[in-house]
Amino acid sequence: MRPGTALWAAVFCAGAAGWLMYGGDTALRRARLMLAGGQRPGAGWTWGPGMWRGPTACGQALLASLRERFGWRLGRELLCLPAGLVLALAAHSVLPALAGAVAVPLVGRRLRKRARRAAVERRLTAVGTLCATVAGDLRAGSPPHPALAGAIEDDGWPDAPELVDAARLLLAAARFGGDVPEALRAAARFEGAEGLAAVAACWQVAVDGGAGLAAGLDRIAAALRAERDQRDELSAQLAGPRSTALMLALLPLFGVVLGAGLGADPVGTLLGTPAGLACLLAGGLLEWAGLAWTGRIVRSAEESW
């Protein structure tokens, strides 16, 4: 058997094993039904303009099964799979394909963490915007409930998609005389929207005791701006160490490219010889240890800020 044929067979077997292991019988039955065009297995293909919807629906069924089983929201991390396959074919080794499969959950976790941080920033900005807008309307002479309803409805609050349902509840409470503080506390359960709990307290005190609501909302907005400024300053200070760590982490890859450009075969040596595999394993472990150490230093700096 030729090396290319053996490599293709190994990649196909690894993909089939992963499908059966993660998708299970449910995904297999769904895939068969989708491949049959919504008919029973064995009914054959229906030729026509929509004949290629079978494989697409099969892939969607497999991804839905993975989401149901593991709670994953699969997205850009799946690009690791074709990248690993391309490298496997170029290097004539199945190791890059396996590395791409292993990288999928790791990259997915990293992407989800980044998305969560972005969502927190959006909520902080949205809460600060709401406080400033309502405070401005109150100073212009608007009553509290119409001012809140106008900030939500007329100004299109919020920009954060995660607070859309909370905005509907707040709008209903403001328009129809509902419990606004309770709606604010319900929206404050999201990370980054904790300031709405302080808004609820100010609202309740202002309605019950006649205190100045605009002044309280201004203080909350100022505190949220200060917190956002601190986050931005911390990110700016940590940008340098992060860039340095990333550059050092990519240096081994530059060495491999440089060796290939000089006429050597570093990829074949690393993937095709016992000494190369040992060096690759040791280097990978050291690389992981360095990145983990750097990440721990950055996290400790963020937590102590």
Side-chain angles (χ1 to χ4, degrees):
M1 183 180 293
R2 292 180 299 176
T5 306
L7 176 61
W8 275 109
V11 171
F12 176 78
C13 292
W19 180 25
L20 293 176
M21 180 174 62
Y22 292 114
D25 295 336
T26 304
L28 187 58
R29 288 195 298 269
R30 287 181 182 177
R32 286 173 177 171
L33 288 173
M34 295 299 181
L35 285 171
Q39 304 174 4
R40 294 184 177 275
W45 287 89
T46 301
W47 294 90
M51 62 172 293
W52 293 109
R53 280 186 282 182
T56 303
C58 172
Q60 293 175 353
L62 179 58
L63 295 182
S65 176
L66 289 173
R67 284 194 295 267
E68 291 174 3
R69 183 178 292 266
F70 298 103
W72 290 347
R73 294 187 62 84
L74 298 174
R76 290 178 295 173
E77 62 268 23
L78 288 181
L79 295 176
C80 296
L81 294 176
L85 290 177
V86 170
L87 292 176
L89 293 175
H92 300 287
S93 174
V94 75
L95 291 179
L98 297 177
V102 172
V104 169
L106 301 177
V107 174
R109 192 173 81 175
R110 178 66 178 176
L111 292 176
R112 286 191 294 272
K113 186 177 180 180
R114 183 181 299 178
R116 183 180 63 83
R117 288 182 177 178
V120 170
E121 295 294 335
R122 288 195 302 267
R123 293 169 197 150
L124 282 172
T125 304
V127 174
T129 301
L130 179 67
C131 293
T133 304
V134 175
D137 292 342
L138 290 174
R139 286 196 173 85
S142 178
H145 285 80
L148 179 60
I152 296 174
E153 189 175 28
D154 299 337
D155 297 336
W157 186 86
D159 294 332
E162 304 85 1
L163 295 177
V164 171
D165 293 336
R168 294 195 185 101
L169 293 176
L170 283 174
L171 181 60
R175 287 292 188 194
F176 305 108
D179 192 349
V180 174
E182 185 62 28
L184 289 168
R185 293 189 189 97
R189 70 182 187 274
F190 294 101
E191 185 181 4
E194 296 87 352
L196 292 177
V199 177
C202 291
W203 190 281
Q204 192 166 5
V205 170
V207 172
D208 296 341
L213 180 58
L217 293 179
D218 282 336
R219 292 191 184 95
I220 296 173
L224 293 175
R225 284 196 299 270
E227 182 179 354
R228 187 171 62 250
D229 293 340
Q230 287 180 355
R231 288 175 179 266
D232 294 341
E233 184 179 356
L234 178 62
S235 299
Q237 291 182 359
L238 293 178
R242 283 173 174 165
S243 301
T244 303
L246 179 61
M247 184 181 64
L248 292 176
L250 294 178
L251 280 180
L253 180 60
F254 293 152
V256 171
V257 174
L258 180 62
L262 293 175
D265 187 16
V267 176
T269 302
L270 289 174
L271 300 178
T273 62
L277 290 174
C279 292
L280 181 62
L281 178 61
L285 291 176
L286 292 174
E287 185 89 3
W288 172 81
L291 292 176
W293 190 13
T294 305
R296 184 176 180 180
I297 294 174
V298 171
R299 285 193 300 270
S300 63
E302 291 175 344
E303 293 172 359
S304 62
W305 183 263

